[in-house]
Amino acid sequence: MSILALILLIGIPMAVMQILYRLYDPDGEKTLALAEKLPVLMGRKFLIQIITPLLFIVVFGLISVLLHIPIAVFYVVCGLAIGIINGMAVTLMYHGDKK
């Protein structure tokens, strides 16, 4: 698979999900409400931004291999999930720095 295909399959879905997340929660109120329910989100923002995508990729990768899911679908789903995770993490970091 070429680099261009990887950019199309991972990068574009990730960017689109981050944009949609910011449109869904422009002020960060929904994310901050979730962070109040789960205080670990605010305490370990950077760690969650790194570990959560890695865990998702490993677990979904194993599921993909076991269920013979096409690699293109794996890349797109990973891009979407990482876009959501990064959208939340950026929102938390932005609002955490404002306090």
Side-chain angles (χ1 to χ4, degrees):
M1 192 168 285
S2 71
I3 297 294
L4 182 60
L6 292 176
I7 291 170
L8 291 173
L9 292 173
I10 297 172
I12 291 176
M14 184 169 47
V16 167
M17 283 309 296
Q18 285 180 325
I19 291 168
L20 290 176
Y21 191 84
R22 292 297 297 161
L23 291 174
Y24 170 73
D25 191 16
D27 298 329
E29 294 173 7
K30 294 174 182 79
T31 306
L32 290 174
L34 177 65
E36 287 176 3
K37 293 177 185 175
L38 301 169
V40 70
L41 291 178
M42 286 302 278
R44 310 225 186 255
K45 294 176 276 202
F46 184 71
L47 186 63
I48 288 174
Q49 189 178 11
I50 300 298
I51 298 297
T52 307
L54 290 175
L55 286 174
F56 180 82
I57 290 169
V58 169
V59 171
F60 187 63
L62 288 172
I63 292 169
S64 296
V65 168
L66 293 173
L67 297 178
H68 304 291
I69 295 174
I71 192 74
V73 173
F74 171 75
Y75 288 146
V76 170
V77 171
C78 284
L80 293 173
I82 293 169
I84 292 170
I85 294 165
N86 283 339
M88 286 182 69
V90 167
T91 301
L92 289 172
M93 286 181 188
Y94 175 75
H95 288 289
D97 291 343
K98 285 175 61 175
K99 290 183 179 181

